């Protein structure tokens, strides 16, 4: 039996300068995977700069790894094409959130940071904040294994005791 320590609300905000996979454009959607769980956004047709503003939920097991992010181009008559991928290290967010405990007891402030480095897909350092009693992290990713593309997300930690 899997023991869960919390939930992540991942808001997929937008994609920028995504790769062309059809004739002139693409029909992108985002797939998030954490362990055996997979969730995805809706497809946005013919758009290389899609705005989803879609919230997806993932349960976080005790022995969690990174969130795997993949962007695909939806195709009706053939297999969907990959438009890039990245990983989100959720350890800094969860460690910061657990160190502070009940975020509602604190005012708005920065409580942590996931640092940009050569071995991750961050465009810039990703700041972890308490905002309005909630622990949130804004993440800007440069998609990997593709000619172009960026993804903006916001992650919120929801402990199971709330």
């Amino acid at each position: 039996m899997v023991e869960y320590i919390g939930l992540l609300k991942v808001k997929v905000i937008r994609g920028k300068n995504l790769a062309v996979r059809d004739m002139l454009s693409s029909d992108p959607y985002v797939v998030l995977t954490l362990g055996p769980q997979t969730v995805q956004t809706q497809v946005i047709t013919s758009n290389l700069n899609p705005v989803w503003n879609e919230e997806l939920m993932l349960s976080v097991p005790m022995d969690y790894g990174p969130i795997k992010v993949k962007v695909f181009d939806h195709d009706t008559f053939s297999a969907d094409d990959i438009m890039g991928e990245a990983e989100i290290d959720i350890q800094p967010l969860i460690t910061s959130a657990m160190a502070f405990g009940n975020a509602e007891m604190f005012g708005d402030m920065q409580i942590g940071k996931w640092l940009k480095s050569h071995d991750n897909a961050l465009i810039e350092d990703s700041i972890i904040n308490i905002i309005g009693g909630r622990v949130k992290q804004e993440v800007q990713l440069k998609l990997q294994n593709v000619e172009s593309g960026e993804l903006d997300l916001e992650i919120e930690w929801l402990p199971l005791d709330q």
Side-chain angles (χ1 to χ4, degrees):
M1 190 168 116
V2 178
E3 188 175 342
Y4 293 100
I5 58 172
L7 298 169
L8 290 175
K9 184 191 298 182
V10 182
K11 184 175 186 178
V12 181
I13 300 170
R14 75 179 65 85
K16 297 181 203 161
N17 196 25
L18 298 181
V20 173
R21 288 291 179 263
D22 292 334
M23 290 297 261
L24 300 169
S25 189
S26 293
D27 306 319
Y29 65 94
V30 178
V31 175
L32 305 176
T33 305
L34 180 59
Q37 305 165 80
T38 299
V39 292
Q40 77 176 51
T41 65
Q42 64 187 359
V43 173
I44 304 225
T45 55
S46 299
N47 198 328
L48 299 178
N49 295 290
V51 175
W52 285 281
N53 278 326
E54 204 170 320
E55 291 181 346
L56 305 170
M57 297 292 282
L58 291 165
S59 299
V60 181
M62 197 71 136
D63 59 339
Y64 60 86
I67 296 175
K68 296 183 185 327
V69 180
K70 291 188 177 182
V71 181
F72 290 95
D73 167 47
H74 175 72
D75 289 320
T76 305
F77 300 111
S78 61
D80 292 355
D81 304 309
I82 186 95
M83 296 174 65
E85 57 192 334
E87 287 191 349
I88 300 172
D89 181 1
I90 56 175
Q91 189 266 328
L93 172 68
I94 294 171
T95 302
S96 297
M98 290 188 159
F100 276 81
N102 183 358
E104 293 175 351
M105 295 172 48
F106 298 94
D108 293 0
M109 63 182 183
Q110 180 179 329
I111 60 170
K113 189 184 285 190
W114 176 27
L115 298 175
K116 175 186 182 334
S117 71
H118 63 83
D119 63 350
N120 66 38
L122 285 176
I123 293 172
E124 60 187 26
D125 290 350
S126 177
I127 307 299
I128 302 161
N129 292 303
I130 293 177
I131 301 169
R134 298 171 183 267
V135 177
K136 295 185 176 187
Q137 178 177 9
E138 291 184 10
V139 179
Q140 291 181 298
L141 299 171
K142 173 148 184 43
L143 295 174
Q144 307 296 296
N145 305 318
V146 68
E147 56 273 23
S148 67
E150 298 177 4
L151 209 54
D152 292 351
L153 307 108
E154 181 185 84
I155 305 170
E156 182 179 339
W157 169 251
L158 303 166
L160 283 182
D161 55 8
Q162 281 190 343

